[in-house]
Amino acid sequence: EAQVTQNPRYLITVTGKKLTVTCSQNMNHEYMSWYRQDPGLGLRQIYYSMNVEVTDKGDVPEGYKVSRKEKRNFPLILESPSPNQTSLYFCASSFRGRTTNEKLFFGSGTQLSVL
Amino acid sequence: ELKVEQNPLFLSMQEGKNYTIYCNYSTTSDRLYWYRQDPGKSLESLFVLLSNGAVKQEGRLMASLDTKARLSTLHITAAVHDLSATYFCAVDFTGNQFYFGTGTSLTVIP
């Protein structure tokens, strides 16, 4: 089954404790990206990757890191989480190329609480 | 500034009625997407619109894109309860960065 797998679904942590949210896709998509969803703000893009070893900042990259060492994986790293990073996070992937296949496939989300 | 605005933010409508959700965006783009999110769930793709004048239909939903007006609409025909969800439009301004609207929370009342 074609899917984007995110883990964990729920995460409670404390300020300053490094964490990683994993994201993996099995559709051979070149493009992967991370979003945070906050009430009243919609989704905002954190980072994206056009292919292996190619990553770039989105709209709200501060406090986050990513890596793309393999095509299928795109982990999100919070080196020193702060309470303002409490949010619902989504990973997504897609083909790119101006076809109707370039829709984003989303993971199931990770609800992060930073105390 | 790259911006995507949706309205209304909240929409309560009776079953069987028609309504339209609007998505305006701030600068030139010909790549616009509509997504649906059920409460507590992830987002799923509804439509991909890639050119001026593009129109896509799926069941009771129809989406259109006017790139000159920087406007997309999502039209709901004869609403049913199953359409209750939050709908997001998203614009790709640069070829790889997605900007989402704040979403329209739709409730269909029997």
Side-chain angles (χ1 to χ4, degrees):
Chain A
E1 182 191 352
Q3 60 185 358
V4 177
T5 304
Q6 258 181 263
N7 281 298
R9 287 294 307 275
Y10 302 94
L11 181 55
I12 301 174
T13 190
V14 295
T15 300
K17 187 174 180 184
K18 181 179 177 180
L19 66 91
T20 300
V21 184
T22 63
C23 175
S24 180
Q25 50 94 6
N26 63 0
M27 294 168 279
N28 202 34
H29 287 163
E30 302 92 353
Y31 183 89
M32 297 186 74
S33 53
W34 277 101
Y35 304 84
R36 60 177 289 172
Q37 184 176 19
D38 301 290
L41 295 176
L43 279 82
R44 293 177 292 168
Q45 191 173 45
I46 303 170
Y47 268 94
Y48 64 93
S49 170
M50 298 296 286
N51 215 321
V52 176
E53 302 292 0
V54 180
T55 64
D56 212 340
K57 295 177 182 178
D59 205 28
V60 289
E62 294 78 21
Y64 304 96
K65 280 176 56 177
V66 293
S67 68
R68 188 94 182 271
K69 295 188 172 62
E70 305 164 283
K71 196 171 186 179
R72 63 184 291 129
N73 295 324
F74 191 45
L76 180 69
I77 303 155
L78 285 71
E79 294 267 2
S80 183
S82 62
N84 64 11
Q85 293 179 297
T86 292
S87 187
L88 177 59
Y89 291 86
F90 287 102
C91 177
S93 70
S94 78
F95 290 111
R96 299 299 283 163
R98 293 197 64 82
T99 74
T100 53
N101 285 336
E102 67 169 38
K103 61 187 178 183
L104 288 169
F105 289 79
F106 283 85
S108 52
T110 296
Q111 181 63 59
L112 172 65
S113 295
V114 183
L115 305 177
Chain B
E1 185 189 1
L2 302 175
K3 209 170 169 183
V4 178
E5 291 183 337
Q6 271 181 254
N7 66 82
L9 296 184
F10 299 94
L11 176 54
S12 181
M13 54 190 297
Q14 283 191 310
E15 275 190 336
K17 298 290 188 184
N18 305 332
Y19 209 83
T20 300
I21 299 170
Y22 297 88
C23 175
N24 294 274
Y25 52 98
S26 60
T27 193
T28 304
S29 175
D30 57 2
R31 294 166 111 147
L32 191 136
Y33 314 81
W34 285 95
Y35 292 90
R36 168 184 171 142
Q37 185 179 35
D38 292 306
K41 303 284 189 187
S42 186
L43 286 84
E44 64 173 309
S45 175
L46 293 173
F47 300 109
V48 178
L49 303 169
L50 297 177
S51 61
N52 185 40
V55 177
K56 296 281 180 72
Q57 181 159 10
E58 180 79 31
R60 300 173 188 274
L61 299 177
M62 184 173 72
S64 65
L65 178 61
D66 180 343
T67 58
K68 293 189 171 100
R70 299 177 193 161
L71 171 68
S72 179
T73 60
L74 181 66
H75 187 72
I76 302 153
T77 302
V80 292
H81 180 69
D82 284 354
L83 290 179
S84 296
T86 299
Y87 294 85
F88 291 94
C89 63
V91 179
D92 181 355
F93 289 111
T94 64
N96 46 37
Q97 283 187 264
F98 290 87
Y99 286 79
F100 281 77
T102 49
T104 296
S105 177
L106 170 65
T107 303
V108 180
I109 305 165

